[in-house]
Amino acid sequence: FSYEVQCSSFCTRYCRPKFTNKIRRLALDLITEHKLPTAAIIMSIDTHSLFSNPPTSIGDVLGLVFSIFFAHWKTFALMSALYYVSIIVTTVVLMMISWIIFAETIAKIVSNIPAGAGGSMNYYRHGRHLLDYAMNTSGASRGVSRALQNYGGDDQAVIAGLAAIGFELILMYLLFVAVFTLVASIFAGAFNHLVAEVYTGSSPSVSRSLSYGWGQKWKVYIFQLILSLAVLGIIVVDIGIPAALHHGLVLGLILTMVMLVAMSTLLLGAIPSIIVENKTPIDAFKRSYDLCKNYFCFIFCNNFTFHTIVIVLLISMNLILDKAPTILSFIVHFLINVILVSLGPTLVMVLYMSIRIRSEQLTGQELSDELSNIVPITNAVEMRDDYQEAKPMEPMV
């Protein structure tokens, strides 16, 4: 409930009509003077009901996700915009660094491109033509022929050159992955903190959430690194080995899908536990498993429904925007991406909070304590007609 509603209700029940407006203004001035969060005045979400009646169905969960987003859409939109700006700036900087460090490798790659992205003459010389298909010659074979020409037809030189390029390509790939994962870790923490602040009843702040995400970035980063290695291990064991042995590849694919779905479901609460409960990366695995194992179907069904809706929406919008002007299509796609970037972490936090409230009876005060973001409490004051005396009343949050 907002302070304004509480003040109005208090005045209506206990005050004389002619003093109602005066006391309401006095209470709001008191709120302003103590710099209480503006969300306490204008928030349309009843934070009390979030803890007293957590969502238990798919419709309730998705409805709450959209309610939180639209109640603070400006804050979420700003956070998403900053995320995209960070990705663009990071990409430009990494491209410049890569060009400086790996200039020779990039030049070799460009010189061996078999397709004709470089113009009609380049396409005529190195592209794939009808003769290629007639003689069963692919664009890749043209690339190999081009590489042989560059190395004077020496096969060993080609292998050595490709090995050197491959090593540097791996370094470039690891550099890009490391930096982008770090940026994603910062914003993952920021988005989670943003939604957690909504649950506490305080006004969500982009700067405060980014600062919180920055402080927890290494924990989230290490967790994602460990998770990535685990996923890579699953893929190698379930797909790589059967593919190498030419046996059981289909079964390996199915097993991999099942394990990845189970992993994503049981580890849903890992990053929120790092942000909210200040868990270490290793402890986050165990904490998430203990929290989610009894709510597997609840998490899986909500995730499946949400992503199904997203896929259907994206396909529909692509079909509609195919015939739209390029500018309009770009703007609509950008807006959709901004919304989806915000809705994903919001869904994760809503599921995490709902499970904790249902299984641990978590309260708003306990959540505030965990975030070190205590919502200020003020005292309402009952005043006499002559305003000579004042009697303190019970605290009202």
Side-chain angles (χ1 to χ4, degrees):
F1 296 101
S2 68
Y3 280 96
E4 185 174 4
V5 172
Q6 289 185 12
C7 293
S8 300
S9 176
F10 176 82
C11 293
T12 303
R13 292 176 58 187
Y14 300 109
C15 303
R16 297 180 184 180
K18 67 178 181 179
F19 293 117
T20 297
N21 292 332
K22 292 182 179 180
I23 295 180
R24 182 189 295 114
R25 287 195 299 269
L26 178 65
L28 294 178
D29 289 342
L30 182 63
I31 293 170
T32 304
E33 180 181 354
H34 285 269
K35 298 181 179 179
L36 298 183
T38 56
I41 303 175
I42 63 174
M43 186 188 299
S44 60
I45 296 177
D46 182 2
T47 55
H48 175 72
S49 67
L50 295 179
F51 292 90
S52 62
N53 187 28
T56 57
S57 65
I58 295 175
D60 292 340
V61 169
L62 296 182
L64 180 57
V65 169
F66 283 100
S67 297
I68 291 175
F69 173 79
F70 287 111
H72 304 280
W73 68 271
K74 292 182 180 179
T75 305
F76 281 104
L78 178 57
M79 182 73 77
S80 299
L82 290 176
Y83 172 73
Y84 278 112
V85 170
S86 300
I87 291 297
I88 293 172
V89 172
T90 302
T91 302
V92 173
V93 172
L94 287 178
M95 291 296 292
M96 294 175 62
I97 294 175
S98 299
W99 183 259
I100 295 173
I101 299 177
F102 306 107
E104 184 178 352
T105 300
I106 295 175
K108 290 180 181 179
I109 295 173
V110 172
S111 66
N112 291 323
I113 293 177
S120 59
M121 181 58 68
N122 189 42
Y123 178 76
Y124 177 78
R125 293 173 57 193
H126 309 297
R128 186 175 186 182
H129 314 294
L130 291 177
L131 184 60
D132 295 334
Y133 295 96
M135 300 184 64
N136 196 25
T137 305
S138 66
S141 63
R142 283 179 170 271
V144 173
S145 300
R146 180 66 174 171
L148 287 170
Q149 293 176 10
N150 290 340
Y151 288 97
D154 187 352
D155 293 344
Q156 296 298 324
V158 171
I159 294 174
L162 293 176
I165 294 176
F167 177 73
E168 293 185 358
L169 283 177
I170 292 175
L171 291 179
M172 292 173 61
Y173 172 78
L174 293 177
L175 175 64
F176 273 72
V177 170
V179 176
F180 279 119
T181 303
L182 181 59
V183 174
S185 299
I186 296 172
F187 280 90
F191 274 112
N192 280 268
H193 184 267
L194 202 66
V195 180
E197 283 197 315
V198 174
Y199 269 84
T200 65
S202 61
S203 177
S205 166
V206 171
S207 60
R208 187 164 57 244
S209 294
L210 280 176
S211 176
Y212 205 96
W214 177 265
Q216 300 288 344
K217 63 183 181 298
W218 292 118
K219 290 183 179 180
V220 179
Y221 182 82
I222 294 173
F223 166 79
Q224 291 185 334
L225 178 61
I226 297 173
L227 181 61
S228 299
L229 294 176
V231 171
L232 179 61
I234 292 174
I235 294 175
V236 169
V237 173
D238 293 341
I239 298 179
I241 295 178
L245 299 176
H246 304 286
H247 179 71
L249 181 58
V250 175
L251 180 61
L253 287 171
I254 296 174
L255 184 60
T256 300
M257 291 297 296
V258 171
M259 293 187 67
L260 292 180
V261 169
M263 181 181 293
S264 64
T265 302
L266 293 174
L267 295 180
L268 175 132
I271 293 179
S273 67
I274 293 175
I275 301 302
V276 177
E277 305 174 58
N278 199 28
K279 297 291 185 181
T280 64
I282 302 300
D283 291 339
F285 283 93
K286 184 177 184 300
R287 170 59 172 163
S288 181
Y289 175 78
D290 293 338
L291 196 63
C292 300
K293 63 182 180 181
N294 295 326
Y295 294 89
F296 187 92
C297 291
F298 175 70
I299 297 171
F300 173 77
C301 292
N302 278 282
N303 273 329
F304 179 80
T305 303
F306 173 77
H307 288 98
T308 301
I309 293 174
V310 169
I311 292 173
V312 173
L313 174 64
L314 291 177
I315 293 175
S316 302
M317 293 305 301
N318 285 332
L319 293 175
I320 294 173
L321 295 174
D322 274 345
K323 299 180 180 180
T326 304
I327 298 297
L328 177 62
S329 178
F330 173 80
I331 294 174
V332 173
H333 277 103
F334 177 77
L335 293 177
I336 292 175
N337 288 331
V338 167
I339 295 175
L340 293 180
V341 167
S342 301
L343 290 180
T346 304
L347 174 66
V348 171
M349 277 300 297
V350 167
L351 292 174
Y352 165 79
M353 291 300 303
S354 300
I355 293 172
R356 287 196 65 188
I357 294 169
R358 291 164 61 183
S359 62
E360 301 175 350
Q361 289 74 50
L362 180 71
T363 65
Q365 186 63 47
E366 291 172 345
L367 178 62
S368 297
D369 292 340
E370 289 178 345
L371 292 173
S372 299
N373 183 25
I374 309 301
V375 179
I377 298 178
T378 185
N379 291 322
V381 179
E382 181 180 5
M383 305 189 70
R384 296 168 56 94
D385 293 354
D386 54 4
Y387 296 92
Q388 295 295 323
E389 299 178 4
K391 179 182 178 182
M393 300 295 292
E394 294 295 327
M396 186 168 57
V397 180

